Amino acid sequence: METNDQYGGHHRTPGRTRLVMAAGAAALTLSAGLATPLNPAPEQARAADDGTKVLTVAVAQSVDSLSPFLAVRLLSTSIHRLTYEYLTNYDPEDNHVIPGLATKWESSPDKLTWTYTIRSDSAWSDGEQATAEDAAWTFNTMMTDPGAATANGSYVANFEKVTAPSPTKLVIELKKPQATMTALDVPIVPKHVWEKVDDYTKFNNDKDFPVVGNGPFVLTDYKADSYVRLKANKDFWRGSPKFDELVFRYYKDQDAAVSALRKGEVSFVAGSPSLTPAQTEALKKEKDIRVNDAPGRRFYALATNPGARAKNGEKMGDGHPSLLDQRVRNALFMAVDRKTIIDKVFQGHAVEGAGYIPPRFSQYFWEPSADQKLAYDPAEAARLLDQAGYEKNGDGKRVGEDGKPIDYRVLCHATDPNDKAIGQYLEEWWGDLGIGVTLNCLDNVTDPWLAGEYDLAFDGWSVNPDPDFVLSIHTCAALPATPEVTGATDNFICDKTYDELYARQLAEYDAGKRADIVKQMQSRLYDLGYMNIMAYPNAVEAYRTDQIESITTMPSKAGNIYGQDGYWSWWSAVPADSGDGGGDSSSTGVVIGIVAGVVVLAGLGVFAAMRRRATAEDRE
């Protein structure tokens, strides 16, 4: 669940523009060493003067919402994993399910009733006890309020009834069996705080700080498109983090973030979500900087507008009608050379894609058979276009039914160099077919995407150990009810056969049988041709080794640090000067950073920061 974001997950909250003072604002007190127009050369990152140990992470993604009911971007959902407990968690060693807020669980023989024992040693940061009533209220609110179901509604769609017979007992009754009952990736929020909210579609949880939570960190401050600050929860039941504070600092320019890492202004760079090959190779040569390059949990795709529409059947947007023909979609994908993308764009820091589940999750990983595979074949692509009736005119341009040359608009993320590089290849490859390409690279791709005003778009999601969420976003149920509202859909796909398979996998408790159905679902999506999974990018990130003792990767062997299915990296991180080493810092690391207020754009006193609806950026 947690990508979008720059790619697939579109969160839906009304946009609003904020003017944020970049310097001089009383609320933004900057620590010594922070770059400002008066101090353009920051000192090396270090602990705060009062001894506070601060871990600073540079990120290339802004927050869509701090409401767990609305957020879908990777950064936002990662923050929620740090600030709220879920019923269960995933072991960082190998992703198996372990206790979270629930210490144990059991189902009735018919699998329709699940009983969870809620731990008695978890307290909210305002001192109140976290109980089963908080969990029951969270789920019931999602079941009864469409706004509260925006981000994670698929998890509760099959719930019949949720009750809390006692403070330590949660009971969930289902309409039919549901295989995800030990993988409900939903933040549990404090009832006594959230029941005061009037409209969950508008409440972004970003006004009153500190935010009440029960995770390893407490959210204490936030400035849109600038930073998120958290403090260690000293009363966290699993134990307090070793760093006193954690700061996520936003950089729109990833090269600037890498430069800040070199200077010591930040200590960890997460990328967008990965570093480029050029940045990676340059950082490998730097003293006290290590690059972590591991198989990722994301797919990177090119999505085709399938004829966007709402559940009520009303059409949306202006996608090119030729793309409703499967032969055209297949032709476009057969004119995409995945090997060139891996070799030239990712330069080996990725593997070729096909299905929705990356090979890191071997149980669900799927590849097409030899006769099913849409291999790179420009000649066959041209034949399919001819067969579909889109032949070339005298100028060598293929024309649509309206007699006009076909020119596809491709939504592209302005901050992602991979989108732009692959877009240039598309111009060449599809140009050879007689099809024009117009790259529409925007800071905010959400508005045209949600409106269906595109032909194709770069897309991608991070996948959880349980793949249910990333599969659910392509069901008919995920479509918006009407064009005036927004749903949970990634790309407006609605296919009866796919929906039937989705329902079957959700009700299948046999792990092997369920995995087979999940593979059939990926095969169906592949054949439909609405999504071209081009690559599974590596998680490529960099950190300083001179200020870190140890940190946990997930999985422990060849795993990522940023964007984990849990809070393990930041919770486990040990400062190098703490004398409390707990692991091998050669495999991963983050370091002490300065207490950052904002990212200051040198020479600008004020800048506009758009607080948008979540873009199509990757879900957690």
Side-chain angles (χ1 to χ4, degrees), residues 3-10 61 272-273 298-301 413 416 418-419 445 449 458-461 490 615-619:
T3 80
N4 262 185
D5 8 276
Q6 127 179 305
Y7 311 100
H10 319 284
Q61 187 182 74
S272 63
R298 299 185 56 253
F299 65 75
Y300 181 86
H413 304 84
D416 193 326
N418 291 330
D419 285 9
V445 302
W449 195 313
F458 289 101
D459 192 7
W461 287 77
D490 173 35
T615 76
E617 273 227 39
D618 88 283
R619 172 87 178 180

Side-chain angles (χ1 to χ4, degrees), residues 83-377:
T83 53
Y84 300 102
E85 274 284 32
Y86 296 37
L87 288 183
T88 59
N89 209 326
Y90 300 102
D91 191 285
E93 179 75 19
D94 58 7
N95 292 325
H96 77 269
V97 176
I98 61 173
L101 185 60
T103 60
K104 61 181 181 179
W105 44 88
E106 59 183 1
S107 68
S108 59
D110 62 5
K111 305 294 187 183
L112 293 178
T113 301
W114 285 75
T115 303
Y116 301 82
T117 300
I118 303 301
R119 64 176 61 257
S120 59
D121 56 352
S122 178
W124 298 110
S125 53
D126 63 0
E128 293 205 21
Q129 181 68 31
T131 69
E133 182 61 28
D134 295 305
W137 184 88
T138 298
F139 291 128
N140 277 310
T141 301
M142 294 169 60
M143 292 163 60
T144 57
D145 189 312
T150 299
N152 298 306
S154 63
Y155 288 110
V156 302
N158 182 46
F159 286 13
E160 181 69 39
K161 183 180 180 182
V162 182
T163 57
S166 76
T168 58
K169 185 177 182 181
L170 175 71
V171 180
I172 300 178
E173 298 177 37
L174 304 174
K175 300 173 185 177
K176 54 187 177 182
Q178 180 170 325
T180 61
M181 296 308 290
T182 60
L184 298 173
D185 293 320
V186 176
I188 303 302
V189 302
K191 173 185 176 182
H192 66 282
V193 174
W194 283 83
E195 64 183 352
K196 301 172 185 177
V197 176
D198 293 327
D199 187 343
Y200 293 100
T201 66
K202 296 180 179 179
F203 182 72
N204 284 301
N205 199 28
D206 58 0
K207 296 297 185 183
D208 298 320
F209 297 98
V211 171
V212 178
N214 63 339
F217 289 89
V218 178
L219 180 56
T220 59
D221 198 8
Y222 163 71
K223 294 296 177 183
D225 291 339
S226 184
Y227 70 88
V228 181
R229 181 179 294 146
L230 306 99
K231 288 187 177 180
N233 181 0
K234 302 300 183 181
D235 298 318
F236 183 51
W237 68 269
R238 202 185 288 273
S240 174
K242 302 299 189 298
F243 281 91
D244 300 303
E245 292 190 20
L246 173 64
V247 176
F248 293 98
R249 192 192 302 177
Y250 172 70
Y251 284 84
K252 181 177 179 180
D253 185 337
Q254 188 165 300
D255 285 332
V258 171
S259 177
L261 179 71
R262 288 193 177 102
K263 297 175 183 178
E265 297 171 23
V266 300
S267 307
F268 181 95
V269 175
S272 63
S274 294
L275 298 174
T276 67
Q279 292 166 341
T280 300
E281 292 308 309
L283 288 174
K284 284 181 178 178
K285 302 173 184 177
E286 294 282 338
K287 180 182 179 181
D288 298 326
I289 291 179
R290 183 179 298 275
V291 173
N292 183 48
D293 188 351
R297 52 184 285 242
R298 299 185 56 253
F299 65 75
Y300 181 86
L302 189 62
T304 303
N305 188 330
R309 65 189 186 279
K311 287 180 186 177
N312 65 2
E314 191 171 347
K315 294 182 180 179
M316 301 170 58
D318 57 2
H320 201 286
S322 64
L323 295 172
L324 299 179
D325 192 319
Q326 183 173 337
R327 292 169 297 183
V328 173
R329 299 193 299 268
N330 287 349
L332 293 177
F333 294 165
M334 294 179 77
V336 172
D337 187 352
R338 289 177 175 82
K339 186 177 187 304
T340 292
I341 290 174
I342 300 302
D343 293 343
K344 302 297 185 181
V345 178
F346 290 100
Q347 295 182 24
H349 299 282
V351 295
E352 289 187 37
Y356 272 54
I357 315 298
R360 168 165 159 175
F361 303 109
S362 58
Q363 181 180 9
Y364 299 108
F365 177 62
W366 170 86
E367 293 181 288
S369 60
D371 59 350
Q372 181 184 16
K373 187 175 182 180
L374 297 173
Y376 180 58
D377 190 340

Side-chain angles (χ1 to χ4, degrees), residues 78 175 189 213 239 257 315 332 335 355 396 427 439 441 469 497 515 532 581 596 614:
S78 295
K175 300 173 185 177
V189 302
K315 294 182 180 179
L332 293 177
E427 291 175 348
L439 288 179
C441 296
F469 178 85
T497 300
N532 179 8

Side-chain angles (χ1 to χ4, degrees), residues 52-72:
T52 300
K53 297 174 181 177
V54 185
L55 189 159
T56 303
V57 179
V59 294
Q61 187 182 74
S62 55
V63 170
D64 54 348
S65 177
L66 290 177
S67 165
F69 295 121
L70 301 177
V72 295

